Amino acid sequence: MFQNQEIAKDIFYVGVNDRQKHKFENMLPLPLGVSYNAYMIIDEKTALIDTVDIAMGDLFIDKIQSQLKGRKLDYLIINHMEPDHSGSIKLIRKYYPEMIIVGNSKTLSMVEGFYGVDNNMLEIKDEEVLSLGKHKLQFHLTPMVHWPETMMTFDQGEKVLFSGDAFGCFGTLDGAVVDSDMNIDRYWDEMTRYYANIVGKYGAAVQKALKKLTPLDFEMICSTHGPIWKEYVSEVVDKYDQYSRYDSEEGVVIVYGSMYGFTELMAETVAQGLAQNGIKTIIIHNVSKSDPSVILQDIFKYRGLIVGSPTYSNELYPEVESLLRKIEIRGVKHRIFGCFGSFTWASAAVKRLNSFVETMKWTKAEISVDEKQGLKEDNYKACLELGRQVAELVKIPIEIPQHCV
Ligand code: FEO
């Protein structure tokens, strides 16, 4: 029944949309949903590349059967084992028991570990080629883009790269599946949010993969999430290059926690100081209101980060502490930092913020502002000065070498 879209010669899109799930990995909100992309190549042999979340398994099977039109499925190629892509392996095996599962040694051990499937497997090595007939598929191991087993599959004749999570983004595919057939505006921020939260920790691995993939001269990227990139291949690769080198644009993110508005007023004042000194892109996040995935998205994008927190039980405000941990985990590099805080009877927040920036090895504004109780004239001016100092530092682009990580 299903007419799967042919995206290149004999290559069909058989992925699905998920508009039901509230949070990806049970953490990251999905206001635009998410797609789980899978592809099928019909040649002398047939091959399915990746599967989908088991929640969509029935629909997925219907799409596969529509495409095979009674033929058998010869190969299932697994680029990535996270269950949003591997979840339907066991189900497909039930329909196609003779199908050979193709993966590297780490993949195949995970197939057994997660799903108890241990027969009809083909272990491939880096750069090995599998022929389906006209289509020759070459495998490229790209560990830690996102998991240790991740690899990419390159169709040498069609110059199509099946990239797994890499170059993916949140957002369902509403009608069309190829970028040139749709308005892609809504996907750019979702790509940054996806990168920052899913792949963000693995900048060095992404750089290594980019270096390895560049000579392939691919003309189409088929990721496991979001649009198929054909018209915007170079833009998408550039974005991954930028984010994985922790390169940034001119702009400042201010994140604050505030219970009764005193620290918030300091944030507003610091923002004024930035604006007075020529910074046009200033994004203020109330840490208790903005989703952390969106805050991280902006931190990955912009060069400056200023954090404000009240002292809470002789510690940082817990929501701010939680955000700092998320930044630390991702090992974000090359940022300009400023901080401020407030306290009622004993100060601890600003001290902790200053130790955070030392851990991160970022450049820090000389001044930090620490106010006892309500904001007063001298610290009002100090907040403006903090904005000024960060503005001056942010205006100087940071020299980040190619493939620096
Ligand atoms: Fe889309 Fe790492 O899974």
Short mmCIF file of all heavy atoms in Angstrom, two decimals, residues 318-355:
data_model
loop_
_atom_site.label_atom_id
_atom_site.label_comp_id
_atom_site.label_asym_id
_atom_site.label_seq_id
_atom_site.Cartn_x
_atom_site.Cartn_y
_atom_site.Cartn_z
N PRO A 318 20.13 25.17 43.10
CA PRO A 318 20.26 23.82 42.53
C PRO A 318 20.05 23.74 41.01
O PRO A 318 20.72 22.96 40.33
CB PRO A 318 19.18 23.02 43.27
CG PRO A 318 19.00 23.73 44.56
CD PRO A 318 19.22 25.19 44.27
N GLU A 319 19.13 24.53 40.49
CA GLU A 319 18.89 24.48 39.04
C GLU A 319 20.11 24.99 38.26
O GLU A 319 20.40 24.53 37.16
CB GLU A 319 17.66 25.32 38.66
CG GLU A 319 16.37 24.90 39.35
CD GLU A 319 15.99 23.48 39.00
OE1 GLU A 319 15.98 23.14 37.82
OE2 GLU A 319 15.70 22.70 39.93
N VAL A 320 20.82 25.95 38.83
CA VAL A 320 22.04 26.45 38.19
C VAL A 320 23.13 25.38 38.28
O VAL A 320 23.84 25.11 37.31
CB VAL A 320 22.51 27.78 38.83
CG1 VAL A 320 23.85 28.21 38.25
CG2 VAL A 320 21.46 28.87 38.65
N GLU A 321 23.24 24.76 39.44
CA GLU A 321 24.24 23.70 39.62
C GLU A 321 24.01 22.58 38.59
O GLU A 321 24.95 22.08 37.97
CB GLU A 321 24.13 23.13 41.04
CG GLU A 321 25.17 22.07 41.38
CD GLU A 321 26.60 22.60 41.39
OE1 GLU A 321 26.86 23.61 42.03
OE2 GLU A 321 27.45 21.99 40.71
N SER A 322 22.76 22.23 38.40
CA SER A 322 22.42 21.17 37.44
C SER A 322 22.85 21.56 36.02
O SER A 322 23.38 20.74 35.27
CB SER A 322 20.91 20.91 37.51
OG SER A 322 20.49 20.17 36.44
N LEU A 323 22.65 22.82 35.69
CA LEU A 323 23.05 23.27 34.34
C LEU A 323 24.58 23.23 34.20
O LEU A 323 25.10 22.77 33.16
CB LEU A 323 22.54 24.69 34.08
CG LEU A 323 22.96 25.23 32.70
CD1 LEU A 323 22.20 24.53 31.59
CD2 LEU A 323 22.79 26.73 32.61
N LEU A 324 25.29 23.69 35.23
CA LEU A 324 26.76 23.66 35.14
C LEU A 324 27.26 22.25 34.90
O LEU A 324 28.19 22.02 34.14
CB LEU A 324 27.39 24.22 36.43
CG LEU A 324 27.14 25.68 36.78
CD1 LEU A 324 28.11 26.12 37.87
CD2 LEU A 324 27.24 26.61 35.59
N ARG A 325 26.63 21.31 35.57
CA ARG A 325 27.03 19.89 35.39
C ARG A 325 26.84 19.46 33.94
O ARG A 325 27.68 18.77 33.37
CB ARG A 325 26.19 19.04 36.35
CG ARG A 325 26.59 17.62 36.41
CD ARG A 325 27.92 17.41 37.17
NE ARG A 325 28.46 16.09 36.88
CZ ARG A 325 29.56 15.86 36.17
NH1 ARG A 325 30.28 16.83 35.73
NH2 ARG A 325 29.96 14.63 35.93
N LYS A 326 25.74 19.90 33.35
CA LYS A 326 25.46 19.53 31.95
C LYS A 326 26.52 20.14 31.02
O LYS A 326 26.91 19.53 30.02
CB LYS A 326 24.06 20.00 31.54
CG LYS A 326 22.94 19.21 32.21
CD LYS A 326 21.58 19.76 31.80
CE LYS A 326 20.44 18.90 32.31
NZ LYS A 326 20.22 18.95 33.76
N ILE A 327 26.95 21.35 31.34
CA ILE A 327 27.99 21.99 30.52
C ILE A 327 29.31 21.26 30.69
O ILE A 327 30.03 20.99 29.72
CB ILE A 327 28.13 23.49 30.91
CG1 ILE A 327 26.83 24.24 30.66
CG2 ILE A 327 29.27 24.13 30.14
CD1 ILE A 327 26.79 25.64 31.27
N GLU A 328 29.62 20.93 31.94
CA GLU A 328 30.88 20.21 32.22
C GLU A 328 30.92 18.88 31.48
O GLU A 328 31.94 18.53 30.87
CB GLU A 328 31.02 19.95 33.73
CG GLU A 328 31.50 21.16 34.52
CD GLU A 328 31.42 20.93 36.03
OE1 GLU A 328 30.81 19.92 36.47
OE2 GLU A 328 31.95 21.77 36.76
N ILE A 329 29.82 18.16 31.51
CA ILE A 329 29.77 16.83 30.87
C ILE A 329 30.10 16.96 29.38
O ILE A 329 30.77 16.11 28.81
CB ILE A 329 28.37 16.19 31.07
CG1 ILE A 329 28.23 15.69 32.50
CG2 ILE A 329 28.13 15.05 30.08
CD1 ILE A 329 26.84 15.27 32.88
N ARG A 330 29.64 18.03 28.77
CA ARG A 330 29.86 18.20 27.33
C ARG A 330 31.23 18.78 26.99
O ARG A 330 31.58 18.92 25.82
CB ARG A 330 28.74 19.03 26.72
CG ARG A 330 27.48 18.18 26.55
CD ARG A 330 26.21 18.98 26.51
NE ARG A 330 25.06 18.09 26.46
CZ ARG A 330 24.51 17.52 27.53
NH1 ARG A 330 25.00 17.74 28.73
NH2 ARG A 330 23.46 16.70 27.39
N GLY A 331 31.97 19.15 28.01
CA GLY A 331 33.33 19.65 27.77
C GLY A 331 33.38 20.85 26.83
O GLY A 331 34.30 20.96 26.01
N VAL A 332 32.40 21.74 26.95
CA VAL A 332 32.36 22.90 26.04
C VAL A 332 33.65 23.71 26.18
O VAL A 332 34.12 23.96 27.29
CB VAL A 332 31.14 23.80 26.36
CG1 VAL A 332 31.11 25.01 25.43
CG2 VAL A 332 29.84 23.01 26.26
N LYS A 333 34.23 24.09 25.06
CA LYS A 333 35.51 24.80 25.08
C LYS A 333 35.36 26.22 24.52
O LYS A 333 34.38 26.52 23.84
CB LYS A 333 36.53 24.04 24.23
CG LYS A 333 36.89 22.67 24.76
CD LYS A 333 37.86 21.98 23.82
CE LYS A 333 38.37 20.68 24.40
NZ LYS A 333 37.34 19.69 24.73
N HIS A 334 36.38 27.02 24.76
CA HIS A 334 36.55 28.32 24.10
C HIS A 334 35.37 29.27 24.33
O HIS A 334 34.81 29.81 23.38
CB HIS A 334 36.76 28.14 22.59
CG HIS A 334 37.76 27.10 22.23
ND1 HIS A 334 39.06 27.14 22.67
CD2 HIS A 334 37.63 25.98 21.48
CE1 HIS A 334 39.70 26.08 22.21
NE2 HIS A 334 38.86 25.36 21.49
N ARG A 335 35.00 29.50 25.57
CA ARG A 335 33.94 30.45 25.83
C ARG A 335 34.45 31.59 26.71
O ARG A 335 35.45 31.46 27.42
CB ARG A 335 32.75 29.76 26.54
CG ARG A 335 31.98 28.77 25.66
CD ARG A 335 31.34 29.49 24.48
NE ARG A 335 30.57 28.62 23.61
CZ ARG A 335 31.07 27.95 22.56
NH1 ARG A 335 32.37 28.03 22.28
NH2 ARG A 335 30.29 27.22 21.80
N ILE A 336 33.75 32.72 26.63
CA ILE A 336 34.02 33.87 27.49
C ILE A 336 32.99 33.83 28.62
O ILE A 336 31.79 33.69 28.35
CB ILE A 336 33.84 35.20 26.70
CG1 ILE A 336 34.70 35.21 25.42
CG2 ILE A 336 34.10 36.40 27.60
CD1 ILE A 336 36.17 35.20 25.67
N PHE A 337 33.46 33.97 29.84
CA PHE A 337 32.57 33.75 30.98
C PHE A 337 32.52 34.95 31.91
O PHE A 337 33.52 35.65 32.11
CB PHE A 337 33.07 32.53 31.76
CG PHE A 337 32.17 32.09 32.89
CD1 PHE A 337 30.99 31.40 32.62
CD2 PHE A 337 32.49 32.38 34.22
CE1 PHE A 337 30.16 30.98 33.66
CE2 PHE A 337 31.65 31.96 35.26
CZ PHE A 337 30.49 31.26 34.97
N GLY A 338 31.36 35.17 32.46
CA GLY A 338 31.19 36.16 33.52
C GLY A 338 30.21 35.61 34.53
O GLY A 338 29.42 34.72 34.21
N CYS A 339 30.27 36.12 35.76
CA CYS A 339 29.31 35.60 36.75
C CYS A 339 28.93 36.66 37.76
O CYS A 339 29.63 37.64 37.99
CB CYS A 339 29.85 34.35 37.43
SG CYS A 339 31.32 34.62 38.43
N PHE A 340 27.78 36.42 38.35
CA PHE A 340 27.27 37.30 39.41
C PHE A 340 26.37 36.46 40.31
O PHE A 340 25.96 35.36 39.95
CB PHE A 340 26.50 38.49 38.82
CG PHE A 340 25.33 38.09 37.96
CD1 PHE A 340 24.05 37.94 38.51
CD2 PHE A 340 25.49 37.83 36.61
CE1 PHE A 340 22.98 37.58 37.72
CE2 PHE A 340 24.41 37.45 35.81
CZ PHE A 340 23.15 37.32 36.37
N GLY A 341 26.10 37.02 41.48
CA GLY A 341 25.23 36.29 42.39
C GLY A 341 24.75 37.17 43.51
O GLY A 341 25.15 38.33 43.63
N SER A 342 23.88 36.60 44.32
CA SER A 342 23.37 37.34 45.47
C SER A 342 23.25 36.38 46.66
O SER A 342 23.23 35.17 46.48
CB SER A 342 22.02 37.97 45.14
OG SER A 342 21.06 36.96 44.95
N PHE A 343 23.22 36.96 47.84
CA PHE A 343 23.07 36.13 49.04
C PHE A 343 22.36 36.97 50.10
O PHE A 343 22.25 38.19 49.97
CB PHE A 343 24.44 35.66 49.55
CG PHE A 343 25.37 36.78 49.95
CD1 PHE A 343 25.48 37.18 51.27
CD2 PHE A 343 26.13 37.46 48.99
CE1 PHE A 343 26.32 38.22 51.64
CE2 PHE A 343 26.98 38.50 49.35
CZ PHE A 343 27.07 38.88 50.68
N THR A 344 21.89 36.28 51.14
CA THR A 344 21.18 36.99 52.19
C THR A 344 22.05 37.17 53.43
O THR A 344 22.15 38.24 53.98
CB THR A 344 19.88 36.25 52.54
OG1 THR A 344 19.10 36.16 51.36
CG2 THR A 344 19.07 37.00 53.60
N TRP A 345 22.70 36.07 53.87
CA TRP A 345 23.56 36.20 55.06
C TRP A 345 24.98 35.64 54.86
O TRP A 345 25.89 36.01 55.55
CB TRP A 345 22.90 35.58 56.30
CG TRP A 345 22.74 34.08 56.24
CD1 TRP A 345 23.61 33.15 56.74
CD2 TRP A 345 21.66 33.35 55.69
NE1 TRP A 345 23.13 31.88 56.51
CE2 TRP A 345 21.92 31.97 55.87
CE3 TRP A 345 20.46 33.70 55.03
CZ2 TRP A 345 21.06 30.97 55.44
CZ3 TRP A 345 19.60 32.69 54.60
CH2 TRP A 345 19.91 31.35 54.80
N ALA A 346 25.17 34.70 53.91
CA ALA A 346 26.52 34.18 53.68
C ALA A 346 26.66 33.88 52.20
O ALA A 346 25.76 33.30 51.59
CB ALA A 346 26.74 32.92 54.50
N SER A 347 27.77 34.27 51.61
CA SER A 347 27.94 34.13 50.15
C SER A 347 28.64 32.82 49.80
O SER A 347 29.68 32.50 50.39
CB SER A 347 28.77 35.32 49.65
OG SER A 347 29.21 35.04 48.34
N ALA A 348 28.11 32.08 48.83
CA ALA A 348 28.78 30.87 48.34
C ALA A 348 28.69 30.74 46.82
O ALA A 348 29.56 30.16 46.18
CB ALA A 348 28.15 29.63 48.99
N ALA A 349 27.62 31.29 46.21
CA ALA A 349 27.35 31.05 44.78
C ALA A 349 28.47 31.55 43.88
O ALA A 349 28.95 30.83 42.99
CB ALA A 349 26.01 31.70 44.39
N VAL A 350 28.91 32.77 44.09
CA VAL A 350 29.90 33.37 43.18
C VAL A 350 31.22 32.60 43.26
O VAL A 350 31.89 32.40 42.25
CB VAL A 350 30.06 34.88 43.46
CG1 VAL A 350 31.26 35.45 42.72
CG2 VAL A 350 28.78 35.62 43.05
N LYS A 351 31.55 32.15 44.47
CA LYS A 351 32.77 31.36 44.64
C LYS A 351 32.68 30.09 43.77
O LYS A 351 33.62 29.72 43.07
CB LYS A 351 32.92 30.98 46.12
CG LYS A 351 34.37 30.77 46.56
CD LYS A 351 34.45 30.42 48.05
CE LYS A 351 34.01 31.58 48.94
NZ LYS A 351 33.80 31.19 50.33
N ARG A 352 31.56 29.44 43.83
CA ARG A 352 31.38 28.20 43.06
C ARG A 352 31.41 28.49 41.55
O ARG A 352 32.00 27.74 40.77
CB ARG A 352 30.05 27.54 43.45
CG ARG A 352 29.53 26.48 42.49
CD ARG A 352 30.36 25.19 42.50
NE ARG A 352 29.82 24.21 41.55
CZ ARG A 352 30.43 23.80 40.45
NH1 ARG A 352 31.64 24.24 40.13
NH2 ARG A 352 29.85 22.92 39.65
N LEU A 353 30.83 29.59 41.14
CA LEU A 353 30.84 29.95 39.71
C LEU A 353 32.26 30.22 39.24
O LEU A 353 32.64 29.84 38.12
CB LEU A 353 29.93 31.18 39.46
CG LEU A 353 28.43 30.91 39.62
CD1 LEU A 353 27.64 32.22 39.61
CD2 LEU A 353 27.92 29.99 38.51
N ASN A 354 33.04 30.85 40.09
CA ASN A 354 34.44 31.11 39.72
C ASN A 354 35.26 29.84 39.67
O ASN A 354 36.18 29.70 38.86
CB ASN A 354 35.06 32.14 40.67
CG ASN A 354 34.70 33.57 40.25
OD1 ASN A 354 34.76 33.92 39.07
ND2 ASN A 354 34.29 34.39 41.21
N SER A 355 34.93 28.87 40.52
CA SER A 355 35.69 27.61 40.44
C SER A 355 35.25 26.81 39.21
O SER A 355 36.05 26.11 38.59
CB SER A 355 35.55 26.80 41.73
OG SER A 355 34.33 26.14 41.77
#
